[in-house]
Amino acid sequence: MTDSVVAQPVQPAVPAGTPGGRVSRREVTWRALKANPLLAVGGTLVLLIVLAAIFAPLIVPFPGDAGAATHPFSVLKAPSGAHLFGTDQVGRDILSRVLYGTRVSPVIAIIVLAIACLIGVPLGVAAGFLGGWVDEVIMRVTDVFLAFPPLLLALALAAVLPASLTSLTIAIAAVWWPWYVRLIRGQAASVAGRPYVEACRALGVSRLRIIFLHILPNSITPLLVQVSLDVGGVILTASALSFLGLGAQDPVPDWGLMIAEGQSYFTPDWWLVTFPGLAILVTAFAFNLLGDGLRDLLDPKRSLIS
Amino acid sequence: MKSKKAWAAAGAASLAVALAACGGSSYSSGSSNNGNGNGGATASKVFTYDTYTQVMIDGWDPATEYSNGIIAMSNMYETLTRYNPVTRTVDPLLATSWTHSSNGLTWTFQLRHNVYFHTGRLMTAKAAAAAIMRTKKLNGGASYIWGAVKSISTPSEYTMVFHLSEAAPLDLEASADYSAYIYDTQAAGPGGNLTKWLNAPHDAGTGPYTLQTWNNGQEFEVILKAFPKYWGGWKGQHYTKVVYRVVPQDTTAAQLLRSGQVNFVEQLSPTLWKSLQGVSGIKLASSPSWQNLLAQLNSQALSEPIRQAISYGTDYQGIIAALSGAASPSSGIVPAGLFGHFSDLPNYSYDPAKAAKLLNSAGYGPGKKPLNLTLTYLAGDSNEQVVATLMKSSLAKLNINLQVQPLAWATQWAKGKSTSPSARQDIFLEYWWPDYADPFSWFTNLLATEKQPYFNLSYYSNATLDSQINQVESLVATNRSAASALYKTMQDEILQQAPIVFLYNTDYQYAMTNNFSGFSVNPAYPNVIFAYNLTPKS
Amino acid sequence: MLTFVARRILLAIVVVVGVIVVTFLVAHVVPGDPAATWAGPHASAAQVARARQFLGLNRPLIVQIVSYLGGIAKGNWGVSVHTHRGVLSDIMTAAPATLELVLTALLIAVAVGIPLGLLSARRPGKPADQLVRTGSILGVSMPIFWMALILQLIFSQRLKLLPAAGEYSPGLLFTHPLVKRTGFPVLDSLLGGNMPMFGSTLVHLILPAIVVAAYPAGLIARMVRAQVLDTIGETHVLNVRALGFSERQVYGRFTMKQAWPPVAAALGLVFGYSLVNTFLVESIFDWPGLGSYAAASIATLDTPAILGVTLFVAIAYVVANLVVDIVQAAIDPRIRIR
């Protein structure tokens, strides 16, 4: 899913030639944004996608086509003025369905990642903070799940559950949570080892306070970065499973499903496959750009020259 | 059983004809004759049939085969007679002539002399009789075609006399595409288990080709080679090998055809088929068939008004338009071109108003309770998928929520045959085609009462119809016009009670390379290519 | 070193056992009826019940798991419901084709990714860098099944440069038949001196391998870039520059060596990822590997086969990571002290 980058030596973010060597946080953020085209482009694209998802019913030419409506007398029409992306094998407007698709995969991604966090954060905190045998057990179980390449276990799960969006979401969530356990465990362990935390414990501060006041706040940034990097990955996995017939079922306007259905008409009626595929590519690309940009910006361990 | 669905489904059944010799175009059609070089030996002329799903899924026993396998088996095995779609009667094949008594209870067949099985044994009347009686005993596939046969006597080496318990059109039945093959019952030796021997696999037929290799579950699944001692001889140009290649994606199959790596594509989506028009080196063929697509309605779960409502609630014209060329309108249960077809039956047309009224009378329909139904169809069949989607859409307007489930054939059928009625589907999409050129197959398989569901997946039971089914075939042999009238009556009844929605008749859309001649469509043997009848061009 | 290796192997075994248990548990929730599929289309209710007994589907869960574990260890991976042959033998027949594809793809990914990553790192911020970065992000955002269809359209149908599908040209089946030795068509044809077949297998490998290589190539380029950029700023490299070594030597001898470990680790990761990615493209390229087998098993609800494939891939993944870890530890002693 995401590539991990080894921790980098810290470099101070002070622009050369600044008097006194201190600048406001806002200055730094603005300069970082300007120097970070990834974040700008990615953020804009993601914003557009989110807007498309929210306003789909208003902007789409044929909203009914994203549901059960069919038009058997205008099937497989090539892209034209009336149908910018053409029509599919039962006459539905592909542009409308592609736009409505922004409500499908990204939403699945959000739900999956929310579940992954809900499971991963508590387990990670427990493992990293409590240590000992709790840590061992949790990490071994996590290792077992991480031993499956992500798509594989999701595929096996989705294959045995009745094909639907719900099964798809469950299957992918079941595969994604271990990464978050690892991530949070690392954070928790590193915070737990710091001298001021030991001091707190010595003073009798309760563990819960330490978790909520110190560990969790420290984890938010890497969590945010990881989530934004993962959205693209989940979208690709979800569309792959729908392509295999294991997820969304007709008439849900899922991009992977649209490609699977459009395959049989492919080479002559290329528009059934091309546009949904472009949608997947652009969406995953946008979220990956955003994630990369956020990581560059927020992760203090990253060198700003990269 | 016929998994007509199994192979009629999906897009690309491509006949891949790999002509290793001339004809193959482009980079990778393999080496040509030059490669061989040993003087005098001509290169193999290979015919590759590209299909989209596994060929031999029912085993290798010609007595019980009821599925895709006939595309290969029809080249290894032969029947007594073969149906001729032009003359609409049967031609001699393994039998050279036949007569029957006036009451239709005795049929005498004269067999062809000097026909050898691939095992080396001579085909005599005794051997042929043994094959038919074994097929009847095993009671699999379409063995019901021999149902009227009480015994077979063999007064001379090449004469078979059938003694029937009731009149039946035996010459027609002997030409069936299933369960009519003549094979060597002694192939496994004395005391040997023939089924096991056949499934090894081996073939025990008399046909022009014999089994060379079987790569189970792989791409080049079945390879046949010419049988040198075939009774028809090998004069002139013939294919010496037939390869069955499994290509699941029809886009891929179309591309293989364009590059000449496959010679015949069995079925493509209509768009793909049309896109091949005018492409050099490719020939298209379109022809009506005896195959129709049916939606069997669960008559135990759905009452008659609901079934009639569904029949009125289906947009037949829309479906045919959407399938652009692959389908034509049907009338009743019997396709055009067959005895028993009538175009003036009380067929349903798309009438949502009537459908709504019928539903309302049952407490459903627009404004009342929603009706939740499940429909199963064959996964991978793009045409069935279009039909299912269109049905879902038109029924939604009648407040019917149709849940559509694509399933693999074995799974779909298992669900339909469930012993617990609640596990079964409400609508079962299925293709059907006859076992021999007669309407009987539809009625006896799909509509006769069954204690345990098999093919009657509307779970329909009608005592009157059952007794009509029992009478009609003997009428066919003795009084054709009475039989015709009876078939009309039966269809009227079925349309009235609506256990089945007759969606459309399939039109074959074949695509092939034009480097061979002799191809013709025979609807009695769906999607079968008799490779022996083809002449490769050089 | 030895303790490290022993510990890692032990850990790997524990993980594999866990993998087997999880896989079994996953497959236990089956909606269709594998007994009915096994019994076949002609079965009666009694035959289905007998099939259920034969397949052991009516024993308590724990017993089934333990018996399955024992069977796996002995090489008995169950019998496939749709081919009626041993799952392990089915997998062994199908695996070489997939492995051949994945290994070729990884080769391409490394050959393309590393130089691009290096190029990108040498001039950070410049157009070449931006291009490579964008390209690599595109690579990891690409829906692979879509890419396969598009490339097949462009290169096979429109440009007629490459074959559409299959492992080799079917005509060669009869004129230059392939003799199976290793199971890998490319190797077998080379070993047998069957040059026309060798050429054909290579040509047929190109398009599928490029498609599968997109993601790993993008990943590797990013990793190499990040690693090199980090190392370049470090003190010892500044020293080396100051000492007068050429740019080429600075990048080659002193930087790339640091870059290898994470890249090698990434290779283990992408090996598993790519193995599964091939599942998505095998049907498009008519490639007779694990992906096609898995697709057929999913369509027929063939639980033993689905289990078997999942297991096989997961175990291959564990082994690949184990090998990578051990090799890395052998090269870099710091890793052993974890």
Side-chain angles (χ1 to χ4, degrees):
Chain A
M1 36 193 162
T2 58
D3 51 4
S4 58
V5 177
V6 175
Q8 305 308 316
V10 178
Q11 293 240 356
V14 177
T18 315
R22 289 175 53 83
V23 276
S24 73
R25 274 180 76 108
R26 211 200 290 151
E27 254 301 277
V28 172
T29 316
W30 173 239
R31 283 175 197 256
L33 262 175
K34 267 204 332 192
N36 201 335
L38 288 182
L39 189 57
V41 175
T44 318
L45 275 175
V46 168
L47 190 63
L48 284 174
I49 292 172
V50 169
L51 286 175
I54 297 175
F55 293 107
L58 299 174
I59 55 177
V60 150
F62 299 89
D65 285 4
T70 57
H71 310 281
F73 293 94
S74 45
V75 302
L76 301 171
K77 293 224 175 309
S80 64
H83 296 278
L84 282 174
F85 286 178
T87 63
D88 69 8
Q89 74 276 8
V90 287
R92 297 178 293 212
D93 177 49
I94 292 181
L95 174 62
S96 307
R97 289 175 65 77
V98 166
L99 283 175
Y100 259 86
T102 55
R103 298 180 147 203
V104 182
S105 321
V107 170
I108 294 179
I110 292 172
I111 298 179
V112 164
L113 292 171
I115 297 177
C117 287
L118 275 169
I119 302 179
V121 168
L123 282 179
V125 165
F129 192 53
L130 299 175
W133 64 268
V134 172
D135 183 17
E136 274 301 305
V137 166
I138 292 181
M139 288 321 285
R140 286 319 125 232
V141 171
T142 311
D143 278 346
V144 167
F145 276 85
L146 287 172
F148 294 90
L151 185 61
L152 183 69
L153 186 56
L155 195 150
L157 261 171
V160 299
L161 294 169
S164 72
L165 277 179
T166 321
S167 310
L168 181 65
T169 313
I170 295 174
I172 303 180
V175 158
W176 226 265
W177 64 265
W179 300 87
Y180 286 83
V181 172
R182 270 232 178 129
L183 179 71
I184 301 298
R185 176 192 179 274
Q187 288 294 311
S190 100
V191 166
R194 292 203 191 140
Y196 77 88
V197 171
E198 286 192 29
C200 281
R201 294 285 292 135
L203 285 172
V205 177
S206 80
R207 281 174 156 158
L208 267 173
R209 269 182 79 92
I210 295 181
I211 290 176
F212 280 98
L213 287 183
H214 299 290
I215 297 185
L216 286 183
N218 264 298
S219 311
I220 289 186
T221 311
L223 198 62
L224 196 62
V225 169
Q226 187 67 30
V227 165
S228 51
L229 284 171
D230 273 350
V231 172
V234 174
I235 289 179
L236 283 177
T237 309
S239 60
L241 289 176
S242 292
F243 173 77
L244 291 173
L246 297 172
Q249 297 296 302
D250 208 271
V252 173
D254 176 281
W255 297 322
L257 180 64
M258 288 166 74
I259 295 180
E261 287 178 357
Q263 257 186 346
S264 304
Y265 310 93
F266 181 47
T267 26
D269 299 339
W270 52 271
W271 50 95
L272 278 88
V273 162
T274 308
F275 294 111
L278 272 175
I280 300 176
L281 178 60
V282 166
T283 308
F285 184 66
F287 279 98
N288 276 332
L289 274 183
L290 178 68
D292 260 17
L294 273 178
R295 178 176 56 192
D296 284 355
L297 185 70
L298 295 175
D299 189 339
K301 294 189 242 142
R302 280 276 283 167
S303 161
L304 277 181
I305 60 167
S306 56
Chain B
M1 70 135 200
K2 296 187 201 182
S3 42
K4 306 199 178 216
K5 308 193 243 187
W7 57 286
S14 33
L15 278 186
V17 179
L19 286 177
C22 41
S25 55
S26 85
Y27 45 79
S28 49
S29 58
S31 56
S32 53
N33 288 346
N34 335 334
N36 279 11
N38 25 14
T42 43
S44 307
K45 293 222 165 46
V46 181
F47 185 90
T48 312
Y49 184 119
D50 179 328
T51 172
Y52 60 85
T53 185
Q54 193 176 352
V55 180
M56 307 304 296
I57 60 178
D58 240 4
W60 286 79
D61 194 332
T64 52
E65 166 62 37
Y66 212 12
S67 181
N68 278 11
I70 57 166
I71 58 179
M73 274 194 183
S74 297
N75 284 293
M76 293 185 274
Y77 293 90
E78 293 173 308
T79 48
L80 291 177
T81 57
R82 184 168 287 169
Y83 189 80
N84 184 329
V86 176
T87 61
R88 293 210 189 177
T89 59
V90 291
D91 290 339
L93 190 59
L94 288 179
T96 50
S97 64
W98 49 91
T99 57
H100 63 100
S101 62
S102 51
N103 60 8
L105 292 177
T106 313
W107 286 75
T108 308
F109 283 76
Q110 297 298 332
L111 296 184
R112 192 177 298 273
H113 297 208
N114 298 318
V115 173
Y116 287 89
F117 293 110
H118 301 153
T119 51
R121 256 179 286 272
L122 181 67
M123 182 196 74
T124 60
K126 272 208 170 57
I132 293 176
M133 294 313 284
R134 174 179 178 273
T135 300
K136 184 179 149 81
K137 193 163 135 219
L138 285 179
N139 202 23
S143 54
Y144 71 85
I145 59 177
W146 305 114
V149 175
K150 270 192 324 212
S151 63
I152 311 177
S153 54
T154 54
S156 77
E157 193 183 18
Y158 291 109
T159 311
M160 293 171 80
V161 181
F162 291 82
H163 306 280
L164 306 183
S165 56
E166 55 185 0
L170 206 63
D171 55 340
L172 199 56
E173 290 172 339
S175 71
D177 50 359
Y178 291 106
S179 304
Y181 294 122
I182 303 298
Y183 52 92
D184 182 4
T185 51
Q186 307 292 319
N193 182 332
L194 184 61
T195 311
K196 232 171 118 195
W197 184 88
L198 286 167
N199 283 323
H202 292 112
D203 90 87
T206 60
Y209 298 93
T210 182
L211 174 65
Q212 180 181 312
T213 326
W214 182 44
N215 301 312
N216 188 7
Q218 295 183 34
E219 190 186 349
F220 297 96
E221 189 189 333
V222 178
I223 301 178
L224 305 180
K225 62 181 179 196
F227 175 57
K229 284 169 93 186
Y230 180 56
W231 59 263
W234 294 96
K235 282 209 287 282
Q237 296 276 40
H238 287 277
Y239 284 106
T240 53
K241 290 210 200 285
V242 185
V243 173
Y244 294 88
R245 178 174 179 174
V246 181
V247 179
Q249 286 303 328
D250 53 358
T251 37
T252 313
Q255 296 191 34
L256 289 172
L257 183 69
R258 281 168 183 267
S259 64
Q261 291 187 66
V262 295
N263 288 36
F264 182 93
V265 177
E266 180 184 348
Q267 185 185 333
L268 294 165
S269 70
T271 324
L272 267 175
W273 185 80
K274 276 198 273 231
S275 75
L276 293 169
Q277 206 142 46
V279 175
S280 83
I282 293 184
K283 196 167 64 183
L284 297 182
S286 166
S287 126
S289 72
W290 294 341
Q291 181 177 313
N292 45 17
L293 182 64
L294 313 166
Q296 292 178 275
L297 308 177
N298 188 332
S299 54
Q300 288 175 358
L302 307 173
S303 62
E304 191 177 298
I306 294 182
R307 301 198 304 261
Q308 290 175 334
I310 295 176
S311 302
Y312 280 116
T314 302
D315 186 356
Y316 303 95
Q317 290 303 318
I319 289 173
I320 289 172
L323 292 177
S324 51
S328 36
S330 61
S331 171
I333 200 172
V334 184
L338 267 182
F339 161 71
H341 169 81
F342 301 95
S343 36
D344 57 342
L345 292 168
N347 298 304
Y348 291 89
S349 56
Y350 183 42
D351 193 338
K354 268 208 190 121
K357 255 176 70 189
L358 283 160
L359 283 172
N360 282 335
S361 74
Y364 295 102
K368 300 221 178 152
K369 270 190 304 185
L371 181 58
N372 296 317
L373 301 177
T374 53
L375 178 149
T376 59
Y377 72 91
L378 182 61
D381 183 333
S382 47
N383 291 347
E384 284 196 27
Q385 195 259 330
V386 167
V387 171
T389 312
L390 290 175
M391 282 185 78
K392 185 183 169 91
S393 166
S394 58
L395 291 179
K397 301 194 191 126
L398 296 169
N399 204 7
I400 298 180
N401 295 329
L402 190 62
Q403 197 212 17
V404 163
Q405 251 192 323
L407 296 171
W409 170 244
T411 319
Q412 186 191 10
W413 201 28
K415 187 180 166 81
K417 290 188 295 175
S418 278
T419 42
S420 83
S422 54
R424 300 176 187 159
Q425 72 296 324
D426 298 303
I427 306 181
F428 193 97
L429 275 192
E430 182 179 30
Y431 294 106
W432 197 263
W433 59 82
D435 298 311
Y436 57 96
D438 190 278
F440 190 61
S441 177
W442 278 272
F443 290 93
T444 188
N445 282 301
L446 305 175
L447 294 164
T449 305
E450 285 176 347
K451 283 201 282 274
Q452 291 281 54
Y454 200 64
F455 277 125
N456 181 347
L457 298 166
S458 33
Y459 316 109
Y460 183 66
S461 180
N462 179 336
T464 319
L465 190 70
D466 286 340
S467 70
Q468 288 166 326
I469 289 175
N470 284 336
Q471 301 165 22
V472 71
E473 275 308 86
S474 22
L475 276 179
V476 170
T478 53
N479 186 345
R480 251 174 112 81
S481 56
S484 179
L486 186 51
Y487 272 125
K488 187 158 204 260
T489 312
M490 287 157 79
Q491 289 183 75
D492 282 336
E493 170 88 352
I494 293 300
L495 284 168
Q496 163 68 28
Q497 304 220 325
I500 299 182
V501 177
F502 302 102
L503 293 162
Y504 61 77
N505 282 1
T506 307
D507 284 334
Y508 290 134
Q509 292 178 317
Y510 293 136
M512 63 204 87
T513 51
N514 62 3
N515 48 15
F516 60 91
S517 60
F519 170 76
S520 66
V521 180
N522 191 337
Y525 307 98
N527 302 316
V528 167
I529 294 272
F530 295 107
Y532 180 73
N533 298 340
L534 302 175
T535 310
K537 293 190 218 166
S538 290
Chain C
M1 179 66 188
L2 256 145
T3 36
F4 176 80
V5 173
R7 269 187 61 216
R8 278 299 277 114
I9 292 185
L10 195 62
L11 187 62
I13 294 180
V14 168
V15 167
V16 167
V17 169
V19 159
I20 296 177
V21 171
V22 167
T23 313
F24 185 89
L25 285 175
V26 160
H28 195 73
V29 183
V30 175
D33 192 353
T37 315
W38 169 271
H42 302 278
S44 65
Q47 284 173 312
V48 172
R50 248 180 289 140
R52 183 164 287 116
Q53 211 175 8
F54 170 73
L55 293 171
L57 293 172
N58 47 10
R59 298 169 298 168
L61 188 54
I62 295 290
V63 175
Q64 289 189 49
I65 292 181
V66 170
S67 129
Y68 187 69
L69 268 168
I72 298 284
K74 279 187 249 151
N76 170 16
W77 288 36
V79 185
S80 159
V81 171
H82 79 281
T83 64
H84 291 259
R85 292 181 309 174
V87 168
L88 191 57
S89 96
D90 276 347
I91 291 179
M92 284 306 157
T93 313
T98 304
L99 282 173
E100 186 184 60
L101 184 53
V102 172
L103 291 173
T104 312
L106 288 181
L107 251 153
I108 296 178
V110 165
V112 166
I114 293 184
L116 280 182
L118 261 175
L119 172 68
S120 178
R122 287 185 73 149
R123 304 176 206 300
K126 292 285 161 54
D129 177 31
Q130 301 286 29
L131 207 66
V132 171
R133 288 189 81 185
T134 312
S136 52
I137 298 182
L138 264 175
V140 306
S141 311
M142 181 72 70
I144 188 176
F145 46 94
W146 180 75
M147 185 184 174
L149 286 171
I150 302 282
L151 286 190
Q152 196 183 41
L153 169 66
I154 297 177
F155 287 97
S156 183
Q157 197 179 320
R158 294 282 153 87
L159 297 177
K160 300 205 201 302
L161 278 176
L162 290 168
E167 277 185 306
Y168 48 79
S169 176
L172 294 175
L173 255 185
F174 302 101
T175 53
H176 293 82
L178 186 63
V179 175
K180 265 204 162 76
R181 266 175 258 255
T182 59
F184 296 89
V186 173
L187 271 180
D188 284 345
S189 49
L190 191 59
L191 288 174
N194 186 346
M195 295 325 277
M197 181 61 93
F198 179 64
S200 186
T201 52
L202 279 183
V203 168
H204 278 78
L205 199 48
I206 295 177
L207 205 49
I210 289 181
V211 171
V212 178
Y215 182 89
L219 198 67
I220 290 175
R222 273 147 76 87
M223 296 219 97
V224 167
R225 179 186 181 281
Q227 267 310 103
V228 170
L229 280 177
D230 293 333
T231 321
I232 276 296
E234 279 178 17
T235 336
H236 72 274
V237 178
L238 292 172
N239 278 349
V240 156
R241 269 223 176 97
L243 284 171
F245 281 94
S246 76
E247 280 301 287
R248 250 190 66 201
Q249 283 174 314
V250 168
Y251 275 97
R253 271 174 67 182
F254 300 101
T255 312
M256 272 312 292
K257 236 184 132 193
Q258 248 82 328
W260 279 117
V263 172
L267 271 180
L269 207 107
V270 294
F271 174 73
Y273 206 80
S274 303
L275 254 183
V276 184
N277 266 355
T278 56
F279 284 23
L280 298 170
V281 300
E282 276 187 14
S283 62
I284 297 172
F285 290 112
D286 205 18
W287 199 262
L290 286 177
S292 302
Y293 182 65
S297 311
I298 289 173
T300 50
L301 290 181
D302 185 348
T303 313
I306 297 176
L307 277 188
V309 171
T310 309
L311 254 170
F312 180 82
V313 174
I315 292 177
Y317 186 42
V318 169
V319 168
N321 281 321
L322 180 66
V323 166
V324 164
D325 277 356
I326 292 180
V327 166
Q328 276 190 285
I331 298 178
D332 185 353
R334 292 181 298 176
I335 296 182
R336 301 179 214 161
I337 316 172
R338 256 212 265 151

